[in-house]
Amino acid sequence: MRFDELELEDAVLDGLDAMNFLETTPVQELTIPIILEGKDVIACAQTGTGKTAAYVLPVINELSKGQHASNGINAIIMAPTRELAQQIDQQIEGFTYFVPVSAVAVYGGTDGIAWEQQKRGIEMGADIIIATPGRLLSHMKLGNIDFSHVSFFILDEADRMLDMGFFEDIMSIYKELPKSCQTIMFSATMPPKIRTLAKSILKTPEEVKIAISRPPESIMQTAYICYEPQKIAILQHLFVESRPQRVIIFSSSKLKVKELASTLKRLKFNVAAMHSDLEQSQREEVMKEFKNGRIDILVATDVVSRGIDINDIRLVVNFDIPHDPEDYVHRIGRTARGTGGEGLAITFVSVEEQYSFKKIEDFLQKNVYKIPVDPIIGEAPLYEPDKNKQRRGRGGRPTGKYPVSPRGRQRK
């Protein structure tokens, strides 16, 4: 479906045309008309399906009609991370080029100057507030926010927010909103806790469910079946064979990210770490340096796998197995952006992780090709996921003192 077939205002369509947005994605086609009708919505759609535009466009469309408060907050968009909040803010900026609708992003990890800027944006009556729950609650407790004019309440990546422990914060904010507020909820997954939240805040909602997409066939997916201590040796061996450029290495904990980045630095690789302990300014600087090619390897937690667009990634390495198959799809999908859908993904699978990786293969409905471990690195375990079912876990805790492949050479 084309956007001009939807009941959108001309100024909104002009913005879409300027951004070369012509055809809707499935989630946009199904969701936008429902939101325009004023109904509550619960939508199951993952990152990469165009879900941000699916809720942003109808909200902008309604605000552009001039029938809402001119000096009040009309829409609240909740996001689990500051990175996603920033991305939503950027998309709104593009979509509102021909529309007099303003927005401000409100998130933590900033200095006092940023806090005052956010506060000023709120007090000046930005039409749309994009916020992380904790920071919005902080402003709310200080009396900085008037919720009386809010007509739209949107939760993006609701499952992530609940995983991060934001249920009480969300409910505290929701209770301050007008009863007539239209509520829209997007989630990549639909576990029972999401159903419980939906029943608490949605009024006879329409449900939209987009089938969870699998990685495109053009992404070459491979894996090494290995022992946990062999992972860094395999990684070094890969980078000796081919100099790393535009590489993201994912790990599931901040501790492992820090230690892995430190180890790679000692091996003279051009690497930086990205995790939630960094100040916002530090994270932005790391992303800038990586996007500009001044950093070859980015070691990151899953905070990067959702909500950040990075083009031309040549390789994604899963240093350990993600928490669920959908996180695996999010991670390796980074390598298919801006490259015509082509990319390479390598996953390291320890003995303890074999059963979890088998679940990912079942989800993918395919067997991922297993690359033999070079004998010089040592004997590798057999792939016996059912046998190792009782041993499943997150892999051994790194010590920062990984064995090095005898063939490895530190780069000059």
Side-chain angles (χ1 to χ4, degrees):
M1 174 182 285
R2 292 176 58 90
F3 280 106
D4 56 17
E5 296 178 67
L6 297 170
E7 297 296 324
L8 296 173
E9 298 292 301
D10 288 343
V12 176
L13 291 173
D14 288 342
L16 287 167
D17 187 59
M19 296 173 68
N20 201 30
F21 276 58
L22 303 177
E23 299 280 344
T24 62
T25 66
V27 70
Q28 293 162 2
E29 179 179 346
L30 294 172
T31 307
I32 291 175
I34 298 172
I35 298 175
L36 290 175
E37 291 176 13
K39 297 179 181 178
D40 284 8
V41 176
I42 179 169
C44 185
Q46 66 184 98
T47 298
T49 58
K51 64 180 174 60
T52 304
Y55 63 76
V56 163
L57 287 173
V59 168
I60 292 173
N61 189 79
E62 295 309 293
L63 296 182
S64 72
K65 296 178 181 179
Q67 299 172 357
H68 292 77
S70 58
N71 293 311
I73 299 167
N74 294 299
I76 300 286
I77 300 174
M78 306 296 302
T81 66
R82 49 193 157 189
E83 285 81 12
L84 181 56
Q86 289 172 321
Q87 182 180 319
I88 296 168
D89 187 35
Q90 290 167 1
Q91 287 211 27
I92 291 175
E93 183 178 355
F95 291 142
T96 57
Y97 191 80
F98 298 103
V99 179
V101 173
S102 60
V104 62
V106 176
Y107 46 81
T110 56
D111 55 21
I113 296 175
W115 168 274
E116 289 300 322
Q117 290 174 337
Q118 294 173 7
K119 179 182 175 182
R120 187 161 57 252
I122 293 169
E123 292 175 341
M124 290 178 65
D127 294 294
I128 303 172
I129 303 294
I130 311 108
T132 52
R135 180 50 62 99
L136 184 63
L137 200 60
S138 296
H139 281 284
M140 188 177 82
K141 289 178 178 178
L142 291 173
N144 296 338
I145 300 182
D146 177 8
F147 286 125
S148 62
H149 298 293
V150 175
S151 299
F152 305 95
F153 183 52
I154 299 113
L155 303 179
D156 195 353
E157 295 196 2
D159 52 345
R160 281 287 178 187
M161 284 192 275
L162 296 192
D163 287 342
M164 296 167 71
F166 287 132
F167 179 83
E168 294 299 330
D169 289 354
I170 291 170
M171 293 308 300
S172 296
I173 294 165
Y174 175 75
K175 290 174 183 176
E176 299 298 318
L177 303 177
K179 300 299 182 184
S180 60
C181 184
Q182 182 181 0
T183 304
I184 300 155
M185 197 164 96
F186 276 78
S187 180
T189 58
M190 207 63 67
K193 59 187 176 182
I194 288 294
R195 295 287 182 185
T196 300
L197 176 62
K199 289 179 181 178
S200 302
I201 67 175
L202 299 177
K203 303 176 288 293
T204 59
E206 295 280 339
E207 184 167 335
V208 173
K209 190 167 185 178
I210 302 298
I212 298 169
S213 63
R214 291 173 173 79
E217 291 298 321
S218 54
I219 297 180
M220 183 183 294
Q221 301 178 60
T222 60
Y224 283 95
I225 308 303
C226 59
Y227 293 107
E228 183 72 24
Q230 293 176 319
K231 290 183 177 182
I232 192 65
I234 297 171
L235 195 61
Q236 188 189 18
H237 179 66
L238 287 172
F239 293 161
V240 167
E241 295 292 322
S242 177
R243 178 178 177 268
Q245 289 180 296
R246 312 292 286 169
V247 176
I248 299 181
I249 303 175
F250 284 111
S251 184
S252 296
S253 75
K254 290 183 290 188
L255 175 62
K256 290 182 77 170
V257 164
K258 293 175 184 178
E259 293 186 345
L260 178 56
S262 178
T263 298
L264 291 174
K265 284 179 181 178
R266 288 200 302 272
L267 294 173
K268 308 302 181 184
F269 289 107
N270 183 13
V271 61
M274 171 69 90
H275 49 77
S276 59
D277 281 351
L278 296 179
E279 295 293 330
Q280 179 64 19
S281 59
Q282 294 174 305
R283 295 164 79 169
E284 291 176 355
E285 181 64 22
V286 168
M287 292 307 304
K288 178 182 177 182
E289 293 292 288
F290 183 63
K291 289 179 179 179
N292 290 339
R294 288 190 283 270
I295 292 172
D296 294 326
I297 305 170
L298 184 67
V299 185
T301 56
D302 283 305
V303 71
V304 178
S305 71
R306 295 195 187 208
I308 292 183
D309 289 319
I310 310 172
N311 291 329
D312 304 323
I313 301 302
R314 299 184 180 183
L315 170 65
V316 165
V317 177
N318 293 310
F319 195 79
D320 50 28
I321 302 298
H323 292 293
D324 57 54
E326 291 166 29
D327 284 331
Y328 174 86
V329 173
H330 287 302
R331 285 184 180 186
I332 73 169
R334 299 310 95 183
T335 186
R337 296 193 170 197
T339 59
E342 297 181 353
L344 174 61
I346 300 174
T347 301
F348 296 163
V349 185
S350 69
V351 175
E352 295 81 6
E353 297 170 309
Q354 287 188 15
Y355 183 73
S356 296
F357 189 67
K358 182 61 166 62
K359 290 199 296 184
I360 291 174
E361 290 186 308
D362 292 342
F363 173 78
L364 299 172
Q365 297 180 344
K366 65 180 290 185
N367 292 323
V368 174
Y369 174 67
K370 316 300 189 300
I371 304 174
V373 175
D374 193 313
I376 201 167
I377 293 173
E379 184 179 354
L382 298 174
Y383 185 50
E384 301 174 309
D386 292 331
K387 180 178 177 180
N388 292 306
K389 182 176 180 179
Q390 300 305 319
R391 302 179 62 179
R392 65 183 184 269
R394 304 301 326 143
R397 178 187 181 278
T399 64
K401 297 179 181 179
Y402 295 101
V404 177
S405 167
R407 284 175 57 182
R409 296 289 185 271
Q410 294 187 2
R411 293 173 59 236
K412 304 294 184 184

